[in-house]
Amino acid sequence: MRQEAYRGWLSALTQLILIAIACVAGYYLSREVDIIPKAILHLPAVHVSQADMWSLTRIFVATYALQIGLTLLLYRTGSFSNLKRFANEYLFYLFAYTSASLYSFLATTINYDPQLIAAIGLLSTLLYVMAMLVAMIKRGEAAFFPALAQVIGALLKRIASIPGVIAILYFLVPLAMGKAFTSDRDIANRITQIRIWFNPVETSEWGLKNLFPGTVFAQPVLVRQAPGDAQGLYVLERNGVVYRVDFPSGDNKQLALDISDQLGEVEVENGAVGLAFHPQFNQQKGKDYAYLYYTDTRPEEGQVNRLSRFDFSLTDPAQRKASEQVLLALPRTKDGFHNGGSVEFGPDGYLYIGLGEGVHPKRIKTSDVVLRSGILRLDVDMDTSRSIDPEPFEHGELNHYLVPKDNPFVGRDDIRNEYWALGLRNPFRFTFDPKNGDLWLGDVGSTIWEEVNLIEKGKHYQFPFIEGYEKSGNNAWEDLGLPEVGPVYTYQHSAYDRAVIGGMVYRGDNYPSLKGKYVFADNYSAKLFVMPADQPKVEEVKLIARANQYAQRGVSSVVQLDSGEILVTTLGAASEPSGEVLLLVKAEDADVFEEEPQDTTPKDYDEDTTAALYAVNCARCHGATGDGQGPDSGMLGVEMPDFTSPMFHFKRSAEDLHAVIEKGGVQMNMSPMMPPWGGFLKPQEIEHLVIYLQSLPDKHHHH
């Protein structure tokens, strides 16, 4: 009896080991092979981290441990003792597999990958069957092929029974839920609410409050307080407009600067993104300057990123505009991505600017000839006692600044002397710690990693060959031999968090529990986080608040005022002014909460009619489902976009899609194979096509 019990527990341990092997092997197999063929169901590539893989492994092993323990107590023998026992346990196996799948789908924040779940099911079944075959052969009951036939026969016979039919029906539940999740928004919302219920946001003593109730802005990217002006705030809108608003009342919204006609079409990540005031603003005559960083999309030959100075001692907005003095005019690639954005004066009085890796003419990338993918340090006061002239520059225009003599690369031929640090992908927001001068930066990542970096003079931050802590598979553009530094904190993309917005080290007295900590945000999820600012590497951060506008409407800046308040800007919609300036407050004073998504679909929109319009005009190239696999796609010579991919729509607004459909590829600096439909389709039809395209990820993808 003891020997039989020993065999039973040994059999149970063997099964759990096989389940763990199936989970790990299934993870790596599903990264390389489509377990569910595209011909049956076209599924996107879902990023599942190794940490999530181990979490799934624990879920499946724990679920099977419960199932195996129950069956062992029920049958008193090991699973592989005979065919009848084996077939009976397989039904329990199906229940356990389905339960683990449902739990991971409904009750966790793990990215749900149907290919991985299918791989776990396939491999665990194969390993389970192989273990039974080994047991039968070892006992001398049959050779391999006769044993295999007996095993398959026993399984089919058991599945054909009433318990077997029930097990199969239960097995189909997650498949049906997954299909409903992708095709019915109401069901998708219900499932999302279930996931939120299982994964509540941690409570915090802080929340957000609308600083200016009733006042909205057109995509505010930044809020600034000018030196010597404690009674006002300046709000920079993405369209190139700056307003001054009384603080804290929010009254007297006045136009301070308007260069919107110099930006061209504001799309993708373009527009006005950075603003800084001279440290002697309002304090020294001749220093009332504002510095603005923006993208001009008007030039026919391409786009240009400019850093310009405007004289705010002039009281009329038109005069201020006319006072523009261009410091940098940098041609960039036409896609509009990765401009960088921050413009900040350091404690040394020099102007620092963050440039993204997209700021360069096509195919011209190295640091000896272009300014991109790093932090520049400029002397805008042009003090010849401490600075020198910039080197000659062929790819753009440089004016009205000098280069500090103590910049780290002065005298090197392979790196322009304006650089302070290199190796950054998209340094959209950075600030200086007022206590010690440390430069903290949020580097917006690609498809997996986001980074918070502590920037040091003369260092390289590893883009493009390393993102986060992992090799990206891309080669460096050049061999500079610089000391390399990794991020202080990095996080992987989830369904919610995917675009870091750098903040600041808090040094005020308004929020005692945040003092000395780094406060930052994620644009897409609109979450506000804090982390220690005195550690070389941080593993975990704390969520303290969340705004009520997400994705492309989410957080665009996090700043601290001289009086100690922390302010957050949210972009709002691109189609109408709905951006806000928010104040971090005690939780009991908050008035900004998560809202249910509002349905903005026009009442005259008919999905069936629009689907038919798409099928007639678009499907031959873009595919019947929008996956880019149309019958003519292979003959076009360009890679077709996948409209069913959430990442495609994450990078493109409704306005972007509308412009491409209406104007065609040539006018939008894209493939000439995309014709302009503006003369063939009615404006209303183009608007409805955009709505239809944006709905495709919900129709064809699991979460």
Side-chain angles (χ1 to χ4, degrees), residues 559-574:
V559 301
Q560 178 188 337
L561 303 184
D562 293 338
S563 49
E565 292 91 344
I566 292 177
L567 301 185
V568 175
T569 54
T570 53
L571 288 169

Side-chain angles (χ1 to χ4, degrees), residues 21-96:
I21 292 173
C23 291
V24 176
Y27 173 78
Y28 291 102
L29 178 65
S30 61
R31 301 309 93 184
E32 303 294 333
V33 178
D34 289 332
I35 306 301
I36 304 174
K38 283 186 170 64
I40 297 176
L41 185 62
H42 186 82
L43 296 168
V46 178
H47 173 68
V48 179
S49 67
Q50 287 191 350
D52 285 345
M53 178 266 287
W54 290 117
S55 295
L56 274 176
T57 301
R58 287 192 291 269
I59 290 170
F60 274 86
V61 169
T63 306
Y64 277 102
L66 179 61
Q67 171 253 305
I68 293 168
L70 289 174
T71 52
L72 190 58
L73 291 174
L74 179 63
Y75 292 108
R76 304 289 182 179
T77 60
S79 176
F80 308 116
S81 58
N82 58 72
L83 278 175
K84 183 177 180 181
R85 167 75 171 84
F86 170 79
N88 283 334
E89 178 146 13
Y90 189 73
L91 297 189
F92 289 95
Y93 157 87
L94 289 177
F95 278 104

Side-chain angles (χ1 to χ4, degrees), residues 267-283:
E267 58 178 357
V268 195
E269 295 176 2
N270 287 331
V273 290
L275 173 69
F277 293 97
H278 194 282
Q280 300 303 314
F281 193 94
N282 284 328
Q283 300 167 59

